[in-house]
Structure formats: C-alpha cells, structure tokens
Amino acid sequence: MRNLKRRLLPLLALLVLFMAMTTTAFGYDPTQEAGTKMIECPDCGSSTACMECFGLDEACESCGGENRCATCQGSGYVESPSRFYNTAWALLPPVIAIALALITKEVYSSLFLGIVVGGALYANFGFEGTVLHVFSDGVVSVLSDSYNVGILTFLVILGTMVCLMNKAGGSAAFGRWAQTHIKNRVGAQLATVLLGCLIFVDDYFNCLTVGSVMRPVTDKYKVSRAKLAYLIDATAAPICIIAPISSWAAAVAAFAEDGQGLNLFIRAIPFNFYAILTVVMMVGMVMMKSEFGLMRIHEDNAKTNGDLFSGKNPYAQMDEDVAEDKGTVLDLVLPIVVLVAFCVIGMIYSGGFFSGAGFVEAFSNSDASVGLMLGSAFALAFTFLYYFLRKSMTFREMMSTIPEGFKAMVPAILILTFAWSLKAMTDSLGAKYFVRDFVQQSAAGMQMFLPAIVFLIGCLLAFATGTSWGTFGMLIPIVQNVFSMDNPLAIVCISACMAGAVCGDHCSPISDTTIMASAGAQCDHVNHVSTQLPYAITAAAVSFVSYIIAGFVPNAFIALPVAVALMLAALFVIKTVTAKKA
C-alpha cells in the first residue's frame, strides 16, 4: 500500500500542475459574466504559467517558485485597469471620431482625437498612460499585426498597378472602347454594378479593382466620383455577404459554433435583407435616374459643370497625361484578369488547397491578407513583364510607378491605420462585452422582435467600431446561445447579425471597406460618406421593417418579396417627393 501511495503522489502532483497551467481550458472564465471587469492577464496571456520559466522551474524568482504567473497568481485573468471598461463609455471614442468627421469634413484629425479619447479613458485620464496606450497599444500595435501589414501591402501593389495601367495607356484605351459600347450614364453605372457583383471573392479586392476598371468609363459619361464610390461600396460587402464562396463566408463559418457555419451562412442568405435591398435600391435609382440628398448635388455638378469631385481630389497626383492613341484595351483588361486569377489562387493557397484541402474548405480556411498580398504580388510581376515585352514603357518608367503607387495610396493607408487604432481602443475598453450583455438582456420576452433588435444593434456596433467581421463575430455566438438552430427565428437572427454588421460597416466613416471604396473611386472620403449615408439609411429603414415582419413570419418566400416590394415603394415615394421639390 505504501509503494502504491508513493507512485500515485508524483502522478497527482503532475496532474495538479497540468490543471493549474490550463485553467482557461478547464476552469472558470470570468469574462463570460455579465458586467465583467476581467481581462486576460497581459503577462501570461491567460496561460496561467510564469512566462520566464513556463511553469517548469521551481526556483524561478519571477514567479516565486510556484510555477505560475506572478501577476494573476495563476488565474489567467486580472481586473482591467480602466474604470470605464465594459461600460457605455467604451463606445464614446468612435462616436466622437465619427461626429467630428461629419461635422468638420476632416477625417485624419477626427480619427486621431477619437483614438486619444480612447487612450485617456483606458488610462483613467493619466497623461503617461494615455500616450503609451495610444502609440504602443494603438498605432504601433496595429502596424505590427501581420494581417494589417498584408492588407497595406496589397494596397500599395494595387496603387502601383493602377499607375502602370495609366502610363501604358490601358485606362484611356478602355475609355475609348467603352464610349462605343456603353452609350450613356445609365449604362456606365449598370456596368459598374455588374462588375462589382461579379467580383465577389473579397470586398477589399472588389473596391480597388472595380474602381480601377470603371473610373475611365464613368468619367467619360460625367458620373460623379461620389456616385462611383457609392456603387463600388454597395457592391462590395453587400455582395460578399451573400456569396457562399467569399472571404466573408469563410469568416462567418469561422465565427459560428459546432462547425455548421457555412450551412448557416447559406440558409441565412434569403433573409439578408440589407444586402439584397441595397442591390435593389442601387439598380432602381440608376434605372429611375433619381438621386436625393447630397448625392444629387454631386451628380448635378458632374452633369452640368463636368465637376466630378464637387470639392477636393486627394488622389490628384495619380492623374497623368497619356497620349490618346497609346495603349490598347488589353493593356488594362489582361492585368486585371491575371490579378483576379492570382488572388483567387492566393486565397485557396492560404486555406491549404495545395495541401489536400477541398476548394470550398480552402476558401473557408483562407487568410484574405495572405491570399491578396501574394496574388497581387504575382500579378504585379506579370504586369511588369507584359509591359516590358510590349515595349509600352521603359524599365525606368515602370520602376518609377512603385513610389507613385505608394504615394497614391497614402490617404487610404493613413485612414486605415487610424481606423484600426481606434478599434484597438474600443477593444481595450471592453466594448464587445457591453454590447453582448445588452443583446442578451434584450432577448428576454421579445423573441418576435429580436431579429429587428439584433439588426439595429449590429448596425450601431459596426457603425461605431468600423468592423463588420468583429460585429457578427460577436453577435452570431450570442444568437446561437439564445436559440436552438431548429427554430426558424434562429436563421432570421443569424442573418440579421450579418445584415446589421454590413449596414453599419457601409455607413461608418471609419470602416475599412468604406475607406477602400473611396480609394477605389479616388473620391474624397468625407464626400463619399456624407453622400452615401442617406442611401444606406433608407435601405436600413426598410430592412428594419422587413425584420419585424420576418420575426412574425419567418418564411423567406413571404418575407423577401414583401421586403423587395417595400424597397421599390420607398424608391417611388422618394422619386415623387424629390421631383416635386425640384
């Protein structure tokens, strides 16, 4: 018996040590509690082990010989240093940034002030803590993130390719070709919508590619850059969120629990009212030749005065004089086709397609940052070689487009960096936990209205944080906890999560997709936001009413036709009222 005890004691000691080191896997997670003030320990990252000896050295001075993190005492969690954590104050920084951007029409200082407010709240208004949090945990942290760096690299390469196509005369040649095949402004806008719908792989790629291809055409027919930016933005995220083979479908599949993400995504498509109604509204406005709000002013300026910008053009450095007879349509089309092909290959490569994974599985597991970066790099190499063999320009001229492409994308890069930093501030203040608790409290006793409530919360959260993926990544698991997936309302609410996220993302000045659409159209960012907002709010209002109807009649064959009819009726009323005012 004594020998048995001697053998069991070391085994028990090892078991206790293992359990202590894996508290987060087997133990209690305090961040799941409503009103939580707990965050993952910054010194051990919730692993609970001492990061000096990794729980293996009993004589380690850092952990006092107890083999556990000295900061959290082996719990994996510590209390947030901010007294504003997980409160409504966590949403104040983006609200300030957005309000200032819309009021002052100046986006850089507005975003930076929002970041500073976030840093001050986190540091309880201490000067040193605010400065360190803004720069170390904000700007430097987001620029050190590999995903963000990949997106910035993709931006610079796209800017270089646009400069190359301009210098080679491809853009001018495409404009000449379009003049003979596209006869009017309606055709130019519908062609933009069609191209945006065809490029559904990724919203970043959609924004920049559609802008590069269609700018010469829309400029030829005096479509304002603000309208072009709206058409690009409205066929980016809204199309990606209803396309089963896209980076967005992969994100939803990753956020959903129990491995049923792709199935949920497909079942939710008919209830994704905002995405579908945005496309209906966009095509309807083009066909009716009707505009309202600030967009009408921009369109009138473009049609009557030829002023495409109605203000400043931050991308003026990209405009170059190219000989009218230089280049062919192929000089623009071929690099774009190759870019699409290589980016698709890059996406499935990052998802393990060439390691044995199936095509759909590879897309579900893809990393958009890696895929787009690698795909665009190979496409750029092809474009250099193609123009060199065509003798479209000299080697020195081609190399000069690299810094030019970088300079052209500086406005987008700056706004993206500040937007990511602002998101880092809201994350550090526990905004997602505040919203989570609010949604769970709202669910009680209001199940029929829950789709509309979830949609509204998704809109507000995505608008304030500028992230659609983070929004539905937060809301989808909550809905899955509220409903059984056998309940028809569950699918409606899942769709409301995605629709609300896309709507808020579409409206928000700090959304990366909105920023990309401005860059793709080479439109002033504040002009794009202010002209697009009335359109997006109109589609959101009809979607909200549609989700109320779907809450009582969760049948896509009834709810979707009613939603489309409501949207068309709203467009007819808007056209009538606008015509009377005119």
Side-chain angles (χ1 to χ4, degrees):
M1 183 63 70
R2 288 182 178 178
N3 290 335
L4 182 61
K5 287 182 179 180
R6 287 174 182 174
R7 292 175 183 175
L8 286 176
L9 283 175
L11 291 175
L12 288 172
L14 287 173
L15 180 62
V16 170
L17 178 61
F18 175 75
M19 293 291 286
M21 293 176 63
T22 56
T23 302
T24 56
F26 299 103
Y28 168 66
D29 182 355
T31 64
Q32 298 304 313
E33 282 291 320
T36 181
K37 295 292 182 184
M38 305 304 289
I39 60 173
E40 289 187 354
C41 176
D43 289 341
C44 69
S46 80
S47 70
T48 76
C50 170
M51 289 292 99
E52 293 295 324
C53 68
F54 302 100
L56 301 175
D57 184 2
E58 295 183 1
C60 177
E61 295 180 358
S62 296
C63 61
E66 297 180 357
N67 300 316
R68 62 184 184 181
C69 175
T71 302
C72 63
Q73 295 299 312
S75 67
Y77 298 92
V78 294
E79 188 170 343
S80 172
S82 173
R83 62 174 179 266
F84 302 100
Y85 187 83
N86 192 5
T87 65
W89 293 100
L91 297 176
L92 181 63
V95 169
I96 288 176
I98 292 167
L100 286 175
L102 294 175
I103 293 170
T104 65
K105 309 295 183 185
E106 209 293 307
V107 68
Y108 305 116
S109 60
S110 301
L111 286 172
F112 187 71
L113 284 174
I115 295 168
V116 171
V117 169
L121 290 173
Y122 181 83
N124 299 313
F125 297 98
F127 177 76
E128 182 182 3
T130 299
V131 172
L132 291 176
H133 192 58
V134 165
F135 289 99
S136 296
D137 302 328
V139 178
V140 174
S141 177
V142 300
L143 290 178
S144 303
D145 184 272
S146 59
Y147 184 93
N148 293 345
V149 172
I151 294 301
L152 295 182
T153 304
F154 173 64
L155 265 178
V156 172
I157 293 174
L158 260 292
T160 302
M161 287 192 67
V162 170
C163 287
L164 277 169
M165 290 184 288
N166 286 342
K167 278 195 172 183
S171 300
F174 187 78
R176 294 193 298 270
W177 174 88
Q179 193 171 17
T180 61
H181 292 79
I182 299 174
K183 302 299 183 181
N184 49 45
R185 298 179 85 252
V186 172
Q189 293 176 74
L190 289 179
T192 304
V193 173
L194 178 61
L195 183 60
C197 292
L198 291 175
I199 303 178
F200 52 78
V201 174
D202 183 78
D203 55 327
Y204 291 170
F205 180 56
N206 180 306
C207 290
L208 296 174
T209 304
V210 175
S212 301
V213 174
M214 295 309 301
R215 270 197 314 271
V217 182
T218 54
D219 286 356
K220 189 72 89 174
Y221 289 103
K222 297 182 179 180
V223 177
S224 68
R225 290 294 178 89
K227 184 61 182 294
L228 175 60
Y230 167 69
L231 296 177
I232 292 171
D233 209 352
T235 53
I239 292 298
C240 290
I241 200 63
I242 55 177
I245 302 177
S246 70
S247 56
W248 287 59
V252 173
F255 288 129
E257 297 176 353
D258 303 326
Q260 54 181 329
L262 193 57
N263 178 44
L264 287 176
F265 182 90
I266 294 171
R267 291 169 62 193
I269 289 174
F271 292 104
N272 202 322
F273 297 134
Y274 182 79
I276 296 170
L277 296 182
T278 295
V279 177
V280 171
M281 179 178 181
M282 180 171 47
V283 175
M285 297 293 287
V286 172
M287 297 297 292
M288 292 178 179
K289 300 181 182 179
S290 173
E291 310 291 346
F292 64 95
L294 288 174
M295 186 72 80
R296 180 170 185 151
I297 298 173
H298 281 252
E299 282 289 87
D300 286 344
N301 288 340
K303 285 186 289 186
T304 57
N305 306 323
D307 181 6
L308 301 178
F309 300 95
S310 294
K312 60 182 179 179
N313 174 18
Y315 297 88
Q317 66 266 33
M318 293 190 70
D319 296 334
E320 295 191 21
D321 294 327
V322 180
E324 285 296 318
D325 58 345
K326 183 180 180 181
T328 65
V329 173
L330 197 64
D331 289 336
L332 180 135
V333 173
L334 185 60
I336 293 295
V337 170
V338 171
L339 177 66
V340 172
F342 275 126
C343 283
V344 172
I345 294 171
M347 293 280 284
I348 60 175
Y349 165 79
S350 68
F353 179 75
F354 298 102
S355 300
F359 185 84
V360 175
E361 181 187 356
F363 242 108
S364 297
N365 298 327
S366 65
D367 185 327
S369 172
V370 172
L372 295 177
M373 178 178 63
L374 295 179
S376 59
F378 278 100
L380 179 63
F382 169 85
T383 306
F384 276 135
L385 181 62
Y386 171 70
Y387 287 150
F388 181 76
L389 295 176
R390 283 256 302 134
K391 298 181 179 179
S392 300
M393 62 188 84
T394 65
F395 181 76
R396 184 181 293 274
E397 287 176 330
M398 286 192 289
M399 289 299 103
S400 69
T401 60
I402 297 177
E404 288 175 12
F406 183 88
K407 286 189 293 183
M409 288 300 171
V410 164
I413 291 171
L414 277 175
I415 297 173
L416 270 178
T417 301
F418 284 151
W420 287 332
S421 301
L422 187 60
K423 180 183 179 299
M425 296 298 105
T426 58
D427 287 346
S428 69
L429 289 169
K432 65 179 182 180
Y433 296 119
F434 174 75
V435 174
R436 179 199 65 188
D437 296 344
F438 183 79
V439 174
Q440 289 177 334
Q441 291 168 8
S442 302
M446 302 181 65
Q447 289 200 356
M448 297 304 178
F449 293 97
L450 192 57
I453 293 172
V454 170
F455 173 74
L456 187 60
I457 291 171
C459 290
L460 295 175
L461 181 60
F463 182 81
T465 60
T467 169
S468 47
W469 286 24
T471 299
F472 58 64
M474 187 189 313
L475 294 181
I476 287 175
I478 294 173
V479 170
Q480 287 188 292
N481 289 331
V482 172
F483 289 106
S484 164
M485 289 300 104
D486 297 331
N487 189 332
L489 271 181
I491 300 300
V492 181
C493 286
I494 291 287
S495 184
C497 294
M498 295 186 284
V502 170
C503 177
D505 179 89
H506 199 191
C507 298
S508 178
I510 60 175
S511 159
D512 44 9
T513 308
T514 308
I515 295 163
M516 293 284 194
S518 301
Q522 292 183 13
C523 169
D524 179 71
H525 184 59
V526 175
N527 283 346
H528 168 45
V529 173
S530 58
T531 53
Q532 174 172 265
L533 202 55
Y535 287 32
I537 290 174
T538 301
V542 178
S543 299
F544 181 77
V545 174
S546 302
Y547 278 116
I548 294 176
I549 296 170
F552 288 92
V553 188
N555 186 318
F557 292 104
I558 298 174
L560 182 57
V562 170
V564 172
L566 287 173
M567 186 76 254
L568 294 175
L571 292 181
F572 179 77
V573 171
I574 289 170
K575 180 177 174 62
T576 303
V577 172
T578 306
K580 285 183 179 180
K581 286 184 178 180

